[in-house]
mmCIF file of all heavy atoms in Angstrom:
data_model
loop_
_atom_site.group_PDB
_atom_site.id
_atom_site.type_symbol
_atom_site.label_atom_id
_atom_site.label_comp_id
_atom_site.label_asym_id
_atom_site.label_seq_id
_atom_site.Cartn_x
_atom_site.Cartn_y
_atom_site.Cartn_z
ATOM 1 N N SER C 469 208.410 148.348 40.982
ATOM 2 C CA SER C 469 209.405 148.820 42.003
ATOM 3 C C SER C 469 209.973 150.224 41.628
ATOM 4 O O SER C 469 210.114 151.061 42.444
ATOM 5 C CB SER C 469 210.569 147.831 42.103
ATOM 6 O OG SER C 469 211.540 148.250 42.973
ATOM 7 N N ALA C 470 210.217 150.360 40.309
ATOM 8 C CA ALA C 470 210.733 151.668 39.876
ATOM 9 C C ALA C 470 209.681 152.751 40.089
ATOM 10 O O ALA C 470 210.008 153.865 40.434
ATOM 11 C CB ALA C 470 211.086 151.623 38.388
ATOM 12 N N SER C 471 208.401 152.418 39.840
ATOM 13 C CA SER C 471 207.287 153.391 40.069
ATOM 14 C C SER C 471 207.194 153.801 41.488
ATOM 15 O O SER C 471 207.033 154.943 41.872
ATOM 16 C CB SER C 471 205.991 152.820 39.568
ATOM 17 O OG SER C 471 206.021 152.506 38.191
ATOM 18 N N GLU C 472 207.380 152.806 42.373
ATOM 19 C CA GLU C 472 207.315 153.090 43.797
ATOM 20 C C GLU C 472 208.515 154.036 44.146
ATOM 21 O O GLU C 472 208.345 154.924 45.025
ATOM 22 C CB GLU C 472 207.376 151.808 44.608
ATOM 23 C CG GLU C 472 207.413 152.009 46.130
ATOM 24 C CD GLU C 472 206.137 152.582 46.705
ATOM 25 O OE1 GLU C 472 205.079 152.651 45.909
ATOM 26 O OE2 GLU C 472 206.125 153.093 47.773
ATOM 27 N N THR C 473 209.674 153.737 43.590
ATOM 28 C CA THR C 473 210.902 154.558 43.889
ATOM 29 C C THR C 473 210.534 155.970 43.383
ATOM 30 O O THR C 473 210.876 156.971 44.078
ATOM 31 C CB THR C 473 212.077 154.027 43.169
ATOM 32 O OG1 THR C 473 212.333 152.683 43.597
ATOM 33 C CG2 THR C 473 213.329 154.876 43.409
ATOM 34 N N THR C 474 209.955 156.120 42.230
ATOM 35 C CA THR C 474 209.637 157.432 41.659
ATOM 36 C C THR C 474 208.718 158.207 42.631
ATOM 37 O O THR C 474 208.799 159.352 42.848
ATOM 38 C CB THR C 474 209.034 157.352 40.236
ATOM 39 O OG1 THR C 474 209.975 156.644 39.407
ATOM 40 C CG2 THR C 474 208.694 158.677 39.711
ATOM 41 N N ARG C 475 207.687 157.424 43.062
ATOM 42 C CA ARG C 475 206.705 158.065 43.998
ATOM 43 C C ARG C 475 207.409 158.571 45.279
ATOM 44 O O ARG C 475 207.109 159.730 45.702
ATOM 45 C CB ARG C 475 205.609 157.099 44.381
ATOM 46 C CG ARG C 475 204.538 157.664 45.258
ATOM 47 C CD ARG C 475 203.539 156.569 45.733
ATOM 48 N NE ARG C 475 204.264 155.644 46.624
ATOM 49 C CZ ARG C 475 204.451 155.943 47.880
ATOM 50 N NH1 ARG C 475 204.072 157.047 48.436
ATOM 51 N NH2 ARG C 475 205.020 155.010 48.651
ATOM 52 N N LYS C 476 208.286 157.800 45.821
ATOM 53 C CA LYS C 476 208.978 158.198 46.977
ATOM 54 C C LYS C 476 209.895 159.426 46.719
ATOM 55 O O LYS C 476 210.054 160.293 47.530
ATOM 56 C CB LYS C 476 209.879 157.015 47.570
ATOM 57 C CG LYS C 476 208.969 155.903 48.188
ATOM 58 C CD LYS C 476 209.872 154.825 48.720
ATOM 59 C CE LYS C 476 208.909 153.709 49.344
ATOM 60 N NZ LYS C 476 209.828 152.619 49.887
ATOM 61 N N GLU C 477 210.494 159.393 45.502
ATOM 62 C CA GLU C 477 211.351 160.582 45.148
ATOM 63 C C GLU C 477 210.508 161.833 45.066
ATOM 64 O O GLU C 477 210.987 162.905 45.439
ATOM 65 C CB GLU C 477 212.086 160.249 43.818
ATOM 66 C CG GLU C 477 213.190 159.263 43.916
ATOM 67 C CD GLU C 477 213.844 158.980 42.557
ATOM 68 O OE1 GLU C 477 213.254 159.488 41.511
ATOM 69 O OE2 GLU C 477 214.868 158.336 42.468
ATOM 70 N N ARG C 478 209.306 161.703 44.569
ATOM 71 C CA ARG C 478 208.453 162.861 44.463
ATOM 72 C C ARG C 478 208.145 163.389 45.863
ATOM 73 O O ARG C 478 208.123 164.634 46.123
ATOM 74 C CB ARG C 478 207.145 162.548 43.785
ATOM 75 C CG ARG C 478 207.286 162.353 42.238
ATOM 76 C CD ARG C 478 205.962 162.031 41.638
ATOM 77 N NE ARG C 478 206.061 161.785 40.224
ATOM 78 C CZ ARG C 478 205.109 161.326 39.452
ATOM 79 N NH1 ARG C 478 203.943 160.986 39.954
ATOM 80 N NH2 ARG C 478 205.267 161.096 38.157
ATOM 81 N N GLU C 479 207.729 162.471 46.796
ATOM 82 C CA GLU C 479 207.449 162.895 48.156
ATOM 83 C C GLU C 479 208.678 163.480 48.834
ATOM 84 O O GLU C 479 208.509 164.523 49.543
ATOM 85 C CB GLU C 479 207.002 161.693 48.938
ATOM 86 C CG GLU C 479 205.698 161.085 48.473
ATOM 87 C CD GLU C 479 205.254 159.827 49.186
ATOM 88 O OE1 GLU C 479 206.171 159.332 50.000
ATOM 89 O OE2 GLU C 479 204.116 159.360 49.047
ATOM 90 N N THR C 480 209.870 162.934 48.546
ATOM 91 C CA THR C 480 211.055 163.565 49.118
ATOM 92 C C THR C 480 211.313 164.950 48.535
ATOM 93 O O THR C 480 211.656 165.862 49.282
ATOM 94 C CB THR C 480 212.251 162.642 48.872
ATOM 95 O OG1 THR C 480 212.036 161.361 49.381
ATOM 96 C CG2 THR C 480 213.516 163.217 49.414
ATOM 97 N N ALA C 481 211.065 165.066 47.254
ATOM 98 C CA ALA C 481 211.334 166.415 46.603
ATOM 99 C C ALA C 481 210.345 167.462 47.191
ATOM 100 O O ALA C 481 210.716 168.612 47.471
ATOM 101 C CB ALA C 481 211.066 166.255 45.069
ATOM 102 N N ALA C 482 209.106 167.046 47.396
ATOM 103 C CA ALA C 482 208.103 167.964 47.963
ATOM 104 C C ALA C 482 208.533 168.334 49.386
ATOM 105 O O ALA C 482 208.413 169.543 49.794
ATOM 106 C CB ALA C 482 206.714 167.327 47.945
ATOM 107 N N LEU C 483 209.002 167.342 50.161
ATOM 108 C CA LEU C 483 209.421 167.645 51.538
ATOM 109 C C LEU C 483 210.654 168.548 51.563
ATOM 110 O O LEU C 483 210.669 169.533 52.338
ATOM 111 C CB LEU C 483 209.733 166.274 52.265
ATOM 112 C CG LEU C 483 210.299 166.404 53.701
ATOM 113 C CD1 LEU C 483 209.223 167.090 54.577
ATOM 114 C CD2 LEU C 483 210.686 165.065 54.205
ATOM 115 N N VAL C 484 211.565 168.294 50.672
ATOM 116 C CA VAL C 484 212.742 169.120 50.611
ATOM 117 C C VAL C 484 212.423 170.612 50.227
ATOM 118 O O VAL C 484 212.977 171.528 50.786
ATOM 119 C CB VAL C 484 213.767 168.574 49.604
ATOM 120 C CG1 VAL C 484 214.892 169.583 49.215
ATOM 121 C CG2 VAL C 484 214.402 167.305 50.098
ATOM 122 N N GLY C 485 211.485 170.716 49.307
ATOM 123 C CA GLY C 485 211.031 172.003 48.931
ATOM 124 C C GLY C 485 210.387 172.798 50.036
ATOM 125 O O GLY C 485 210.704 173.928 50.231
ATOM 126 N N ARG C 486 209.544 172.117 50.824
ATOM 127 C CA ARG C 486 208.865 172.760 51.921
ATOM 128 C C ARG C 486 209.921 173.168 53.032
ATOM 129 O O ARG C 486 209.901 174.280 53.626
ATOM 130 C CB ARG C 486 207.869 171.841 52.531
ATOM 131 C CG ARG C 486 206.656 171.741 51.679
ATOM 132 C CD ARG C 486 205.464 171.054 52.432
ATOM 133 N NE ARG C 486 205.754 169.732 52.969
ATOM 134 C CZ ARG C 486 205.533 168.565 52.317
ATOM 135 N NH1 ARG C 486 204.941 168.693 51.065
ATOM 136 N NH2 ARG C 486 205.826 167.399 52.728
ATOM 137 N N GLU C 487 210.907 172.279 53.311
ATOM 138 C CA GLU C 487 211.859 172.570 54.293
ATOM 139 C C GLU C 487 212.746 173.711 53.856
ATOM 140 O O GLU C 487 213.117 174.651 54.632
ATOM 141 C CB GLU C 487 212.753 171.340 54.598
ATOM 142 C CG GLU C 487 211.979 170.198 55.300
ATOM 143 C CD GLU C 487 212.795 169.027 55.518
ATOM 144 O OE1 GLU C 487 213.887 168.942 54.976
ATOM 145 O OE2 GLU C 487 212.344 168.132 56.356
ATOM 146 N N LEU C 488 213.180 173.742 52.635
ATOM 147 C CA LEU C 488 213.999 174.822 52.147
ATOM 148 C C LEU C 488 213.291 176.157 52.139
ATOM 149 O O LEU C 488 213.809 177.197 52.454
ATOM 150 C CB LEU C 488 214.513 174.465 50.739
ATOM 151 C CG LEU C 488 215.646 175.347 50.121
ATOM 152 C CD1 LEU C 488 216.842 175.279 51.031
ATOM 153 C CD2 LEU C 488 216.043 174.843 48.733
ATOM 154 N N ALA C 489 211.993 176.151 51.769
ATOM 155 C CA ALA C 489 211.172 177.315 51.823
ATOM 156 C C ALA C 489 211.080 177.898 53.244
ATOM 157 O O ALA C 489 211.158 179.113 53.481
ATOM 158 C CB ALA C 489 209.794 177.065 51.294
ATOM 159 N N LEU C 490 210.886 176.938 54.213
ATOM 160 C CA LEU C 490 210.841 177.373 55.634
ATOM 161 C C LEU C 490 212.109 178.033 56.052
ATOM 162 O O LEU C 490 212.105 179.085 56.733
ATOM 163 C CB LEU C 490 210.526 176.194 56.511
ATOM 164 C CG LEU C 490 210.296 176.460 57.974
ATOM 165 C CD1 LEU C 490 209.115 177.398 58.188
ATOM 166 C CD2 LEU C 490 210.158 175.148 58.695
ATOM 167 N N MET C 491 213.241 177.472 55.678
ATOM 168 C CA MET C 491 214.518 178.042 56.069
ATOM 169 C C MET C 491 214.704 179.461 55.406
ATOM 170 O O MET C 491 215.296 180.317 56.034
ATOM 171 C CB MET C 491 215.662 177.103 55.567
ATOM 172 C CG MET C 491 215.790 175.784 56.283
ATOM 173 S SD MET C 491 216.425 176.010 57.989
ATOM 174 C CE MET C 491 216.642 174.361 58.519
ATOM 175 N N ALA C 492 214.234 179.584 54.145
ATOM 176 C CA ALA C 492 214.502 180.809 53.452
ATOM 177 C C ALA C 492 213.486 181.903 53.779
ATOM 178 O O ALA C 492 213.585 183.084 53.345
ATOM 179 C CB ALA C 492 214.539 180.506 51.896
ATOM 180 N N GLY C 493 212.436 181.512 54.432
ATOM 181 C CA GLY C 493 211.393 182.517 54.807
ATOM 182 C C GLY C 493 210.478 182.868 53.623
ATOM 183 O O GLY C 493 210.050 184.001 53.514
ATOM 184 N N VAL C 494 210.335 181.935 52.665
ATOM 185 C CA VAL C 494 209.519 182.207 51.462
ATOM 186 C C VAL C 494 208.436 181.094 51.410
ATOM 187 O O VAL C 494 208.421 180.164 52.173
ATOM 188 C CB VAL C 494 210.361 182.207 50.244
ATOM 189 C CG1 VAL C 494 211.401 183.369 50.252
ATOM 190 C CG2 VAL C 494 211.061 180.841 50.001
ATOM 191 N N SER C 495 207.517 181.237 50.413
ATOM 192 C CA SER C 495 206.493 180.220 50.161
ATOM 193 C C SER C 495 207.135 179.056 49.390
ATOM 194 O O SER C 495 208.099 179.256 48.680
ATOM 195 C CB SER C 495 205.306 180.839 49.367
ATOM 196 O OG SER C 495 205.789 181.189 48.075
ATOM 197 N N PRO C 496 206.486 177.843 49.498
ATOM 198 C CA PRO C 496 207.036 176.685 48.796
ATOM 199 C C PRO C 496 207.081 176.896 47.261
ATOM 200 O O PRO C 496 207.849 176.292 46.595
ATOM 201 C CB PRO C 496 206.063 175.540 49.249
ATOM 202 C CG PRO C 496 205.565 175.987 50.555
ATOM 203 C CD PRO C 496 205.449 177.488 50.486
ATOM 204 N N GLU C 497 206.132 177.732 46.725
ATOM 205 C CA GLU C 497 206.141 177.902 45.251
ATOM 206 C C GLU C 497 207.401 178.603 44.823
ATOM 207 O O GLU C 497 207.644 178.596 43.610
ATOM 208 C CB GLU C 497 204.883 178.762 44.907
ATOM 209 C CG GLU C 497 203.572 177.962 44.969
ATOM 210 C CD GLU C 497 203.087 177.745 46.436
ATOM 211 O OE1 GLU C 497 203.600 178.527 47.287
ATOM 212 O OE2 GLU C 497 202.251 176.986 46.732
ATOM 213 N N ALA C 498 208.137 179.318 45.735
ATOM 214 C CA ALA C 498 209.285 180.060 45.265
ATOM 215 C C ALA C 498 210.503 179.143 45.209
ATOM 216 O O ALA C 498 211.618 179.617 44.733
ATOM 217 C CB ALA C 498 209.655 181.167 46.294
ATOM 218 N N VAL C 499 210.424 177.855 45.563
ATOM 219 C CA VAL C 499 211.531 176.961 45.489
ATOM 220 C C VAL C 499 211.606 176.249 44.148
ATOM 221 O O VAL C 499 210.587 175.729 43.673
ATOM 222 C CB VAL C 499 211.412 175.858 46.654
ATOM 223 C CG1 VAL C 499 212.667 174.909 46.625
ATOM 224 C CG2 VAL C 499 211.349 176.527 47.997
ATOM 225 N N LEU C 500 212.720 176.276 43.515
ATOM 226 C CA LEU C 500 212.986 175.569 42.215
ATOM 227 C C LEU C 500 213.512 174.172 42.530
ATOM 228 O O LEU C 500 214.563 174.016 43.118
ATOM 229 C CB LEU C 500 213.968 176.316 41.395
ATOM 230 C CG LEU C 500 214.404 175.649 40.039
ATOM 231 C CD1 LEU C 500 213.161 175.494 39.153
ATOM 232 C CD2 LEU C 500 215.455 176.432 39.366
ATOM 233 N N VAL C 501 212.685 173.108 42.176
ATOM 234 C CA VAL C 501 213.119 171.727 42.462
ATOM 235 C C VAL C 501 213.282 171.041 41.150
ATOM 236 O O VAL C 501 212.301 170.959 40.345
ATOM 237 C CB VAL C 501 212.083 171.074 43.352
ATOM 238 C CG1 VAL C 501 212.428 169.588 43.632
ATOM 239 C CG2 VAL C 501 211.906 171.797 44.715
ATOM 240 N N ASP C 502 214.440 170.436 40.949
ATOM 241 C CA ASP C 502 214.735 169.593 39.739
ATOM 242 C C ASP C 502 214.952 168.143 40.280
ATOM 243 O O ASP C 502 216.010 167.823 40.834
ATOM 244 C CB ASP C 502 215.931 170.064 39.004
ATOM 245 C CG ASP C 502 216.174 169.300 37.680
ATOM 246 O OD1 ASP C 502 215.719 168.170 37.604
ATOM 247 O OD2 ASP C 502 216.775 169.933 36.769
ATOM 248 N N ARG C 503 213.885 167.343 40.228
ATOM 249 C CA ARG C 503 213.955 165.999 40.799
ATOM 250 C C ARG C 503 214.981 165.155 40.091
ATOM 251 O O ARG C 503 215.647 164.294 40.724
ATOM 252 C CB ARG C 503 212.578 165.369 40.760
ATOM 253 C CG ARG C 503 212.486 164.224 41.769
ATOM 254 C CD ARG C 503 211.056 163.747 41.883
ATOM 255 N NE ARG C 503 210.699 162.815 40.797
ATOM 256 C CZ ARG C 503 209.724 163.090 39.927
ATOM 257 N NH1 ARG C 503 209.052 164.168 39.931
ATOM 258 N NH2 ARG C 503 209.460 162.218 38.948
#
């Protein structure tokens, strides 16, 4: 269950990074994410 939670957190982190990059007008690689 904890592993599944971790997997979902990773997916959420990736989604957050993409959305923040889109808002900032930069590439996703420019986003610093600390999960």
Side-chain angles (χ1 to χ4, degrees):
S469 176
S471 299
E472 178 65 15
T473 301
T474 300
R475 185 188 65 80
K476 291 181 178 179
E477 287 178 351
R478 287 180 182 173
E479 293 176 352
T480 302
L483 177 61
V484 167
R486 290 195 296 268
E487 291 178 347
L488 194 56
L490 182 63
M491 291 286 188
V494 299
S495 66
E497 288 76 17
V499 181
L500 175 63
V501 178
D502 189 333
R503 200 172 80 243

